[in-house]
Each structure stands twice: as C-alpha cells, then as structure tokens.
Amino acid sequence: MTALRAHRRGGPEVLVVERAPVPVPAAGEVLVAVYAAAITFDELTWEETWTRDGADRTPVIPSHEVSGVVCDVGSSATDFTVGDEVYGLIDFERDGAAAEFVAVPAADLAARPATVSHVVAAALPLAGLTALQALVDHAAVQSGEEVLVLGGAGGVGALTVQLAAGLGARVSATVRSDARELVAGLGARRVIDVRAEAFDEGGPAYDVVIDTVGGETLERSFGVLRRGGRLITLSAPPPEGKADEHGVTATFFIVTPDRGQLGKLAALVDGGRLHVEIAATFPLDAGRDAFESGRLPGRRAGKTVLVVRD
C-alpha cells in the first residue's frame, strides 16, 4: 500500500510517501480502507508518536483520526462486518491512518456520521472526543454555568464552544485571528480577540475554563475562575499549587477512544447540531506538505485532512 511514513524522529521534513506492508488485523481488530485521515500538527512532537513502552517504533505512520470502510475483520471482532462505514480515533502509540489501509481495534471505532463526507467525519474524532470528555467527564458542565473556551477557533476549541452551548452553558471564547464571526456563529455569546483585549482583565467571572492554548495563557486562566471553579487544560499539567491558591480545581487529561461518545458525536452531526470546520485538504501523496502547512501564518480555522480515496 501507499503510506506516509517517518523512519527517524523529526518534523514534517522526515515524512516520505512510500510503499509499505498492508497491516493484518489481529484479534479484536478490523482492517479499514482509509478514505480520509485528519492531521494533528503537534503529533510529531509527542513521545507516543515515536516510542512504545520506551522502545523506538519507527518507521511510523501519522494521522490518528480515520474515516473509511471495513475491508477485513480479525478474529473475535464481531461488531463490524466488511462494507461497514466507520470512523474513530486510533491510539497514539499505533500506526495512524495516513495510508491506504490501517488496522484498528474495533472498540475504538463507531459508525460514521451518515450525512457528511469522509473528510468531515475524519476531522471529528480527536477534537470531538477531547471537547466532550473535557466538558462532561472532567468539568461536569451544568446548564447556566459560565464557560470560557481559550482558543475557540481551533479544532478542539470550535467543537468545545458548540458542545458547551448545547449543554446550556453561557459560553465565551478567545480567538487570535479574524474568526470572531465564525466562533460567535458556533454559539459563543462573547468572543474576545486577544490581540486587542486581555481575556483576564475582568477578574473571576467563570465557573469553568477549558484551556486549549497552554503556556502563559494557562497561567493567567486561574485568575478568571470563581472560587470552586474548574480548569481543564489540554496542553500540559497545571502548575503545582496554583489551583489551591485560587480555590479551584485544575485537571489535565489525554483524550481516549470511546465508541459510545463517538456515537453521540455522530448523532449530533447528523442532527445538524454540530458543525466541523475544514481548513484544508491534501491528497495522500502531498502528506508532507499537509504537515508543513501547520507552520504557515494565517492558516484557516479548522482541521487539515488527507484525502486517501475519493
């Protein structure tokens, strides 16, 4: 099969399109003919991309969000049959979907949303599961609460805004681009362009903060939470002692595949209640260019997706 692979650790410059063996599904796995695979630019910086249990696992195949069609079924994988259209999130320590075929545990897949293309379906799992797990599993957001989404125009942020609004929260979001109208249209009552306004100048005004930015933004986000508030950060563990100092809780987590939640996200998309923004698409043969595009200034909001099959 044709695949995008890296034989040594690095950035987009180490990626090459080449022939690779078609994977064989193990027990509990299915083989998916990939139609589209979404990119997470930062994945080339993650330790999980390059090692498993501390051991080097190159050559690796990136892109861990997939939409495609089941073409083979391993033993004991009884949930799907050949021909089923599926989508899902592939564990980061496995080879990803930037290839014509990928083997995936059946438990990490669900029936893909039927009303959208494979490109849109592939852009949903990582951001959608991250947003849903942040809001529901970790923050336990309630209707009427004030929620601030830091980085509301990003892949995760845009879905977090929509899902939080769907939970009945009063949503504010920050942007660092000309995405004010887009984010407002997704359900944010207030959009703060941090190029012109400090998001923390109003003091403690929120019950929940979802931080998709990290760094200095994470440090400053403690000051906008009310006593008893919840900070959920996706970039790195929060600074030790900060939560106690402000009388809040702070949680860092890494998203995990979840079939039930994938089903909920697909239903929201098919019901017209969740919009997935696509920034750009590239053919698999231009996979390196796709990853390089993450470094370009002025990149559009949304996910970048590799189109593997039409």
Side-chain angles (χ1 to χ4, degrees):
M1 66 176 182
T2 299
L4 180 68
R5 297 206 293 181
H7 291 262
R8 59 183 176 86
R9 189 182 295 230
E13 71 281 356
V14 303
L15 296 172
V16 293
V17 176
E18 61 186 11
R19 301 298 289 174
V22 175
V24 177
E29 297 180 354
V30 298
L31 185 67
V32 177
V34 179
Y35 277 67
I39 284 174
T40 301
F41 296 113
D42 286 347
E43 71 178 274
L44 297 181
T45 69
W46 298 343
E47 186 66 25
E48 297 91 336
T49 296
W50 306 102
T51 64
R52 182 185 295 111
D53 298 327
D56 181 273
R57 66 177 194 88
T58 54
V60 302
I61 298 174
S63 301
H64 288 78
E65 297 168 273
V66 63
S67 182
V69 177
V70 174
C71 60
D72 194 11
V73 178
S75 63
S76 75
T78 59
D79 301 322
F80 298 106
T81 59
V82 172
D84 287 344
E85 297 196 6
V86 296
Y87 86 124
L89 176 64
I90 302 167
D91 188 85
F92 303 123
E93 292 184 341
R94 299 176 62 97
D95 276 340
E100 292 180 305
F101 299 94
V102 63
V104 187
D108 296 346
L109 298 170
R112 79 175 188 89
T115 60
V116 296
S117 66
H118 282 286
V119 166
V120 174
L124 178 60
L126 178 59
L129 287 173
T130 301
L132 192 60
Q133 290 171 17
L135 291 166
V136 175
D137 297 349
H138 297 285
V141 169
Q142 303 298 308
S143 179
E145 288 192 307
E146 295 284 348
V147 174
L148 173 64
V149 180
L150 298 171
V156 175
L159 293 183
T160 304
V161 168
Q162 294 175 74
L163 291 171
L167 291 169
R170 298 171 59 86
V171 183
S172 300
T174 65
V175 298
R176 189 185 291 275
S177 65
D178 298 324
R180 179 183 293 273
E181 291 186 10
L182 169 66
V183 175
L186 297 177
R189 294 169 180 248
R190 181 184 179 209
V191 181
I192 305 164
D193 186 340
V194 296
R195 298 173 301 180
E197 178 184 359
F199 75 88
D200 55 347
E201 66 182 12
Y206 302 99
D207 302 295
V208 175
V209 172
I210 308 295
D211 166 45
T212 74
V213 179
E216 180 192 2
T217 297
L218 170 59
E219 293 270 356
R220 293 164 56 195
S221 64
F222 286 92
V224 304
L225 279 167
R226 296 167 176 158
R227 301 289 292 186
R230 292 94 74 198
L231 168 64
I232 312 299
T233 179
L234 313 178
S235 57
E240 191 170 346
K242 272 278 192 178
D244 290 340
E245 177 186 334
H246 289 270
V248 302
T249 61
T251 303
F252 166 73
F253 78 99
I254 297 174
V255 64
T256 56
D258 186 300
R259 177 184 291 172
Q261 291 180 335
L262 285 168
K264 290 178 182 178
L265 292 167
L268 288 170
V269 170
D270 286 339
R273 291 173 289 167
L274 192 62
H275 170 73
V276 182
E277 189 75 12
I278 303 298
T281 61
F282 290 79
L284 178 60
D285 286 348
R288 177 173 169 175
D289 293 338
F291 273 89
E292 290 278 11
S293 72
R295 299 172 170 174
L296 299 177
R299 188 169 53 86
R300 287 183 53 193
K303 292 284 287 189
T304 297
V305 181
L306 296 175
V307 179
V308 180
R309 287 178 172 82
D310 294 328

